[in-house]
């Protein structure tokens, strides 16, 4: 009996210690989530339920008398709702041009597949296992795996966007959707499948899809959208977006300035001087569409 007591006492202490550590880790994670946007006013940060997880939406009201509607900001996958650079700049400055901004957290980006081999899986002598040559390109996801990843990303976007009608009620008017890079590619794909409500104006910046076949199909999907589109391409855009810039323009409706406009930026979007140019392009296109379709 005494042996059991002597043995169980440190075990209990160990269990309690482990529980305390785990509890502190959970608390720390929750605190990190809460404090992620602690530099913003509390009423600017909203939390929504997307499936079984929490996601942040950042809202900024109009500044001034001009009230045109709301601009929905959707950054590239893997970024947050207030990504430093152009995203953060547009989110703040558009409010001075008559657009309240609603910035949505995009889904996680796709990580590079890991093909590390465990020791027990290494082929033994005589088994003849095929070894990938150093000159061969790295193997990618299987079609089945990629489909599951894409479906998960799409579901996250759709469930997030479905909640924006309620969040945008205080800001009546037109809806402008501004999206960048892989986020833009994903948006075009979802709009083509009628999984997202069509905005009044669509602004895409350096759009592309990671998978080659998806990226090649993007220009045709974009051309078939019956939405006024401002297509902004910068020199420093991803090579995949640069690969399709010409065909995006060629497939677009010709002589239809209220339907499609492609603008090539001479300055890199990593430079602050280009952010203002980008803002002016968006503001000018939106004004043109508003006059044509009041």
């Amino acid at each position: 009996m005494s042996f059991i007591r002597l043995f169980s006492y440190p075990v209990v202490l160990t269990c309690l210690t482990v529980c305390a550590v785990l509890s502190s880790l959970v608390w720390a994670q929750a605190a990190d989530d809460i404090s992620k946007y602690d530099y913003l006013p509390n009423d600017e940060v909203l939390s929504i339920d997307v499936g079984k997880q929490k996601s942040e939406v950042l809202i900024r009201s109009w500044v001034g008398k001009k009230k045109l509607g709301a601009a929905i900001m959707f950054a590239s996958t893997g970024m947050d709702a207030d990504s430093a650079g152009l995203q953060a700049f547009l989110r703040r400055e558009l409010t001075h041009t008559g657009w309240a901004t609603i910035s949505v957290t995009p889904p996680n980006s796709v990580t590079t597949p890991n093909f590390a081999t465990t020791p027990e899986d290494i082929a033994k002598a005589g088994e003849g296992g095929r070894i990938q040559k150093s000159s061969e390109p790295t193997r990618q996801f299987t079609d089945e795996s990629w489909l599951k990843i894409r479906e998960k990303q799409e579901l996250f976007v759709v469930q997030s966007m479905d909640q924006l009608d309620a969040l945008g009620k205080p800001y009546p008017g037109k809806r402008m959707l501004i999206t960048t890079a892989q986020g833009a590619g994903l948006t075009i794909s979802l709009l083509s499948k009628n999984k997202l409500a069509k905005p009044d104006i669509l602004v895409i910046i350096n759009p592309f899809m990671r998978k080659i076949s998806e990226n090649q199909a993007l220009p045709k999907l974009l051309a078939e959208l019956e939405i006024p589109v401002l297509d902004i391409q910068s020199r420093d855009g991803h090579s995949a977006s640069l690969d399709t810039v010409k065909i995006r323009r060629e497939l677009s409706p010709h002589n239809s300035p209220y339907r499609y406009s492609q603008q090539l930026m001479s300055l890199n979007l990593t430079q602050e001087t280009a952010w203002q140019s980008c803002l002016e392009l968006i503001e000018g296109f939106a004004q043109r569409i508003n006059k044509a379709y009041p």
Side-chain angles (χ1 to χ4, degrees):
M1 189 71 175
S2 60
F3 173 77
I4 295 176
R5 287 176 180 171
L6 287 172
F7 181 76
S8 62
Y9 183 68
V11 170
V12 172
L13 284 179
T14 302
C15 291
L16 290 174
T17 303
V18 170
C19 290
V21 170
L22 290 176
S23 177
S24 63
L25 288 174
V26 170
W27 184 88
Q29 181 62 49
D32 287 342
D33 292 339
I34 294 171
S35 63
K36 185 176 183 180
Y37 298 106
D38 58 2
Y39 59 92
L40 297 174
N42 291 335
D43 59 356
E44 193 171 313
V45 184
L46 298 178
S47 180
I48 61 174
D49 292 319
V50 182
K52 296 182 179 179
Q53 65 185 94
K54 295 286 185 181
S55 183
E56 293 81 26
V57 176
L58 307 182
I59 298 180
R60 286 180 73 90
S61 185
W62 298 299
V63 176
K65 295 182 179 180
K66 189 185 292 187
K67 299 178 179 180
L68 302 175
I72 300 164
M73 310 288 298
F74 182 53
S76 187
T77 57
M79 307 297 282
D80 61 40
D82 194 36
S83 299
L86 180 63
Q87 170 85 3
F89 175 82
L90 292 177
R91 194 180 78 80
R92 289 162 175 79
E93 295 303 317
L94 277 167
T95 58
H96 296 273
T97 66
W99 296 92
T101 58
I102 303 175
S103 187
V104 184
T105 301
N108 293 329
S109 58
V110 180
T111 57
T112 302
N114 183 2
F115 293 105
T117 306
T118 59
E120 58 268 20
D121 290 334
I122 297 176
K124 297 178 181 178
E127 289 186 356
R130 183 183 182 279
I131 299 176
Q132 187 175 8
K133 296 179 181 179
S134 59
S135 59
E136 294 178 338
T138 303
R139 289 173 288 167
Q140 298 299 308
F141 295 99
T142 64
D143 290 341
E144 183 180 359
S145 297
W146 186 259
L147 181 60
K148 290 180 179 178
I149 291 171
R150 182 62 76 224
E151 287 176 346
K152 186 176 181 180
Q153 286 184 325
E154 289 184 349
L155 181 61
F156 184 92
V157 176
V158 171
Q159 290 180 339
S160 298
M161 294 290 189
D162 281 349
Q163 302 182 55
L164 298 189
D165 280 346
L167 298 179
K169 277 186 177 180
Y171 313 103
K174 283 187 167 56
R175 291 293 181 261
M176 177 165 57
L177 177 55
I178 304 174
T179 179
T180 59
Q182 289 190 72
L186 195 56
T187 298
I188 294 168
S189 177
L190 286 169
L191 285 169
S192 71
K193 298 175 184 177
N194 293 316
K195 290 187 176 182
L196 291 181
K198 291 182 180 179
D200 298 293
I201 301 169
L202 175 63
V203 179
I204 53 175
I205 304 172
N206 298 334
F208 76 94
M209 295 285 260
R210 175 170 166 174
K211 193 174 183 181
I212 295 176
S213 60
E214 290 179 331
N215 197 57
Q216 291 175 339
L218 210 58
K220 187 174 185 295
L221 297 180
L222 178 62
E224 292 173 348
L225 294 179
E226 296 181 357
I227 305 171
V229 176
L230 174 60
D231 181 355
I232 298 175
Q233 181 69 52
S234 67
R235 262 191 333 199
D236 65 330
H238 193 282
S239 59
S241 69
L242 291 168
D243 286 344
T244 65
V245 63
K246 182 179 180 181
I247 192 170
R248 295 200 313 262
R249 183 177 66 252
E250 290 175 347
L251 290 182
S252 68
H254 295 282
N255 301 318
S256 301
Y258 301 109
R259 169 65 179 78
Y260 179 87
S261 175
Q262 186 180 87
Q263 298 290 331
L264 305 179
M265 297 195 66
S266 59
L267 296 174
N268 291 346
L269 288 179
T270 53
Q271 301 176 7
E272 291 188 31
T273 50
W275 300 350
Q276 182 64 34
S277 299
C278 192
L279 173 66
E280 291 170 0
L281 286 175
I282 295 172
E283 184 180 10
F285 185 76
Q287 286 179 350
R288 191 159 79 232
I289 299 303
N290 278 334
K291 287 181 180 179
Y293 307 103

